[in-house]
Amino acid sequence: MNLCLRKQYIRPNLIGSLFRFASTSAEIVENDQVFIDDEEAQAREAEINKKRNISRLTPAHQNLVNGRKPYEEPMSLAHLTVKYNRKMYGRYGSASGVNPNICFPSKQDIQEKLEYEAIAYPFTIQQMMVSAAQKRKEENERIEKRDRDVAAKFAKLDQWKKELHDKLAKKTAEVSAAKEKKERLVEEVRRHFGFKLDPRDERFQEMLAKREKEQKKLEKLARKEAKEKMMIAKLQQKNVELTDAKK
Amino acid sequence: MGSRQITEKSLSMLRSLPRISLQNIRDNPNSKLKNKRGRGQHGGDKHGAGNKGSGQRQNFMRLGYETGNNPFYLRIPQEHYYRGHHLRREYPPLTLHNLQKIIDKDCVDTSKPIDIASLIRSGFYNFSPDLKQFGINLTDEGADIFAAKINIEVQWASEQVIAAIEKNGGVITTAYYDPHSLLLLKNPKKFFESGQAIPRRMIPPSDLIEYYTSAKSRGYLADPEEISKERVKLAQKYGYTLPNIEKDSDYTMLSERKDPRQIFYGLEPGWVVNLKDECILKPKDQELLSYYNS
């Protein structure tokens, strides 16, 4: 609705303003022809210009819109700073009236920058190159050493595997032998009684202990015999050696 | 018929209404935020703070706190490959295919050396130095259709990319810019309007020195002779004949490089550029000169 209204009114407005411009410009030309340095006329012209200006912008904003420096005089503390004056020069050039000397850093600024750089960049490029090369070399050495270690271990891998398998096989064989022995004992006890007996039964336990004892005795005997046999064999061997030496 | 009458009538009504001016318009509804709390019995019951709980009491809890729940930021196991992500440098990629498109659209002038400033000016690449982005990573997508002879300066490039550019008789350099220089390159106009002298480009950090001094990556700090050797080596590796740059008609353009301290082509550190007056101010003070040449 608002927009529609505006469109309707914009045309007559424009036309009116055009007429106004036309009339005033003609007047100005006439005035120029007549005189310029009359104070009264100048004041009148200023008055007219002031009335003509219906933008309601502040002088600073008018300056901004027309590409001029907004303030001729500093209006706040910020306008006294180097940064603001540099900006004014950068934006409005020499027309800003700022001495371009302030665009360059002062001696104190340079000192501060140098001090900062000394801490932020403590090493030169050459120094950094040397340390980077050193670091790379160390890294490569570390990788090579690890590779060598792995290769040495890999060479032994088959042997280690075989050892482990043997160990495991031995262990399982021992376990199965012990189990078999136990089963055989239990079977013998059962045969002694002639019927199936609960292995938790007292008689069964007694018999089992007895059997085990016997078994242990037998084993001990067998071991003793084996030892004697070994001794005899050794002695015999010694004898043979002695007789050989004599011969 | 009736509608026409209505329009006529409303138009005549409008004509009789006064002109719109500041005196007879009002703000759009809800366009102005009231910053006053309603008072009285039902004026502002909860004042927009809701009913019950921390909302009403307006005790704003610390970020991530979920009122006794196992908070989200602790519920997920740590991902250690993200460690230090906030410190890592990022190089937003630009593919060779995209670069070719930019050149074909004539958005970048190939008769001059191309750098990050001209690529941003083309409007097809952008980055933010304040997000730890350190410039262009030229990637090899479209390397097989790339067919432009250019002198380009990027911040990161792979071997394939270097091969693709050198195969066409072009030249590539990888160069480091510190974030401040990148800001200047991103928006030179803004910097020139600030009325400051162009600073020096800073040296790369120690973890990048290897890349930017190696001839293989065509670093800007590498020995030029090493680079020419590496160019031949790369041509042999990828199996193309290396065009002779010295006999090229654009030799001066192709051999143009920035100084390691320089940020803009044709502008030296210490100069002040004024766009309004279209002039350059150069320092004459010995101290300034020695500072800017160090």
Side-chain angles (χ1 to χ4, degrees):
Chain A
M1 193 71 178
N2 281 350
L3 279 176
C4 283
L5 267 177
R6 261 201 142 159
K7 262 187 187 171
Q8 289 232 328
Y9 282 106
I10 220 160
R11 212 169 296 138
N13 246 344
L14 244 180
I15 292 160
S17 58
L18 271 178
F19 280 129
R20 217 160 45 199
F21 280 136
S23 62
T24 45
S25 67
E27 270 172 30
I28 286 164
V29 169
E30 276 169 29
N31 277 352
D32 280 347
Q33 280 171 348
V34 180
F35 47 75
I36 313 160
D37 52 358
D38 189 11
E39 275 182 23
E40 219 172 88
Q42 272 184 350
R44 224 179 113 237
E45 195 60 29
E47 185 74 24
I48 290 169
N49 271 333
K50 203 179 162 190
K51 279 181 180 164
R52 243 184 232 153
N53 181 8
I54 55 160
S55 68
R56 296 192 198 177
L57 291 172
T58 60
H61 282 145
Q62 276 174 34
N63 284 342
L64 271 181
V65 167
N66 295 313
R68 291 191 299 265
K69 193 184 165 191
Y71 301 106
E72 284 309 318
E73 283 159 13
M75 302 295 278
S76 77
L77 283 176
H79 297 172
L80 301 170
T81 56
V82 173
K83 190 180 172 186
Y84 179 80
N85 282 299
R86 277 181 183 169
K87 206 160 95 179
M88 286 302 109
Y89 179 74
R91 222 167 257 172
Y92 305 108
S94 52
S96 66
V98 176
N99 184 356
N101 218 2
I102 59 153
C103 296
F104 296 100
S106 68
K107 287 187 179 177
Q108 201 196 337
D109 290 342
I110 291 179
Q111 281 308 317
E112 276 171 10
K113 273 184 188 174
L114 286 174
E115 197 185 336
Y116 171 78
E117 281 167 19
I119 293 162
Y121 305 94
F123 304 113
T124 62
I125 291 172
Q126 278 74 22
Q127 284 169 339
M128 281 195 282
M129 276 168 78
V130 169
S131 61
Q134 177 70 17
K135 214 173 160 188
R136 173 69 57 193
K137 201 181 150 197
E138 276 168 16
E139 179 70 13
N140 283 343
E141 269 171 14
R142 195 184 61 78
I143 291 167
E144 272 170 27
K145 192 177 165 249
R146 174 86 183 131
D147 283 355
R148 264 182 272 130
D149 286 358
V150 169
K153 280 176 183 164
F154 189 76
K156 279 187 189 167
L157 183 63
D158 283 339
Q159 192 198 327
W160 287 341
K161 263 186 185 167
K162 202 179 155 257
E163 274 172 15
L164 181 69
H165 286 312
D166 288 353
K167 202 174 144 190
L168 287 174
K170 200 181 159 193
K171 210 172 179 180
T172 46
E174 268 174 15
V175 168
S176 62
K179 207 177 170 187
E180 219 171 64
K181 197 175 143 190
K182 188 101 186 170
E183 272 174 9
R184 208 175 59 231
L185 273 176
V186 169
E187 192 56 33
E188 270 174 25
V189 173
R190 273 197 189 137
R191 220 175 287 153
H192 174 82
F193 286 111
F195 55 88
K196 261 198 175 177
L197 199 61
D198 188 9
R200 276 167 293 182
D201 198 299
E202 232 173 66
R203 286 174 294 168
F204 187 94
Q205 293 289 344
E206 255 174 43
M207 202 61 203
L208 192 66
K210 207 173 156 193
R211 283 273 168 186
E212 267 180 7
K213 235 179 185 177
E214 276 173 22
Q215 192 74 25
K216 267 185 186 167
K217 234 179 196 174
L218 276 175
E219 271 176 18
K220 217 176 179 181
L221 257 172
R223 251 183 280 150
K224 223 177 186 178
E225 263 176 32
K227 225 177 179 181
E228 272 171 14
K229 263 185 191 171
M230 280 265 283
M231 287 282 277
I232 288 160
K234 261 188 183 173
L235 282 172
Q236 273 177 351
Q237 213 178 347
K238 262 190 181 172
N239 282 342
V240 170
E241 274 170 19
L242 279 172
T243 48
D244 284 352
K246 271 178 189 175
K247 272 176 190 176
Chain B
M1 292 299 263
S3 68
R4 225 185 98 200
Q5 275 173 2
I6 288 165
T7 28
E8 285 289 319
K9 201 176 174 188
S10 49
L11 276 174
S12 67
M13 228 167 97
L14 273 177
R15 279 186 203 106
S16 68
L17 281 169
R19 274 188 178 212
I20 265 200
S21 70
L22 284 176
Q23 275 69 39
N24 58 17
I25 56 171
R26 74 167 75 157
D27 294 320
N28 287 329
N30 299 328
S31 69
K32 282 204 170 172
L33 209 91
K34 262 210 252 172
N35 62 351
K36 272 197 178 168
R37 182 164 59 91
R39 310 214 180 220
Q41 195 183 4
H42 305 293
D45 282 331
K46 304 281 194 270
H47 312 301
N51 193 16
K52 286 213 290 194
S54 53
Q56 187 179 27
R57 273 142 225 151
Q58 302 199 331
N59 57 337
F60 304 105
M61 287 168 291
R62 68 184 157 82
L63 210 61
Y65 184 61
E66 296 180 18
T67 60
N69 288 349
N70 189 11
F72 181 76
Y73 75 96
L74 293 176
R75 204 181 306 155
I76 284 158
Q78 289 184 35
E79 303 288 3
H80 289 297
Y81 41 82
Y82 288 140
R83 183 176 287 163
H85 70 279
H86 61 298
L87 299 171
R88 289 188 202 165
R89 279 178 283 270
E90 194 184 343
Y91 297 86
L94 173 74
T95 62
L96 277 174
H97 188 234
N98 275 344
L99 180 62
Q100 183 68 61
K101 272 203 280 186
I102 294 171
I103 291 167
D104 291 346
K105 286 175 190 165
D106 209 13
C107 290
V108 73
D109 187 6
T110 52
S111 68
K112 282 177 191 161
I114 298 168
D115 68 341
I116 190 161
S118 54
L119 282 169
I120 283 172
R121 212 181 117 67
S122 79
F124 289 92
Y125 183 82
N126 209 351
F127 78 118
S128 348
D130 49 341
L131 298 178
K132 293 249 167 224
Q133 295 178 344
F134 276 71
I136 302 172
N137 173 16
L138 197 58
T139 57
D140 59 355
E141 194 182 327
D144 43 354
I145 58 154
F146 188 77
K149 191 177 75 180
I150 46 169
N151 177 3
I152 192 169
E153 187 191 71
V154 291
Q155 280 61 56
W156 206 269
S158 65
E159 197 186 62
Q160 290 96 314
V161 170
I162 295 171
I165 284 176
E166 288 179 355
K167 188 184 171 187
N168 294 303
V171 177
I172 183 167
T173 319
T174 52
Y176 172 80
Y177 291 92
D178 56 303
H180 186 235
S181 322
L182 284 169
L183 271 173
L184 305 202
L185 284 167
K186 193 184 170 186
N187 196 349
K189 191 174 170 239
K190 192 179 167 192
F191 174 72
F192 294 150
E193 282 187 345
S194 75
Q196 287 166 281
I198 299 171
R200 296 175 305 165
R201 193 186 342 169
M202 289 295 129
I203 57 173
S206 53
D207 55 335
L208 284 178
I209 207 83
E210 207 177 13
Y211 186 81
Y212 289 115
T213 53
S214 101
K216 269 187 184 165
S217 54
R218 307 290 186 269
Y220 73 123
L221 299 171
D223 184 12
E225 282 186 17
E226 287 289 315
I227 287 182
S228 54
K229 275 182 206 165
E230 286 294 333
R231 278 166 63 88
V232 175
K233 265 195 208 169
L234 196 65
Q236 285 170 355
K237 182 174 176 183
Y238 282 84
Y240 57 86
T241 50
L242 191 68
N244 194 350
I245 287 181
E246 277 98 54
K247 285 175 187 164
D248 201 293
S249 55
D250 299 329
Y251 177 66
T252 47
M253 185 277 281
L254 289 173
S255 59
E256 202 179 332
R257 300 278 188 288
K258 279 184 199 171
D259 186 79
R261 285 294 198 190
Q262 198 181 358
I263 296 173
F264 300 105
Y265 275 116
L267 296 176
E268 283 175 24
W271 290 5
V272 174
V273 178
N274 197 299
L275 298 175
K276 185 74 192 290
D277 294 350
E278 294 182 355
C279 69
I280 292 173
L281 309 177
K282 299 174 187 175
K284 274 185 181 169
D285 183 39
Q286 272 309 314
E287 203 174 339
L288 277 176
L289 285 175
S290 65
Y291 169 68
Y292 281 114
N293 291 330
S294 64

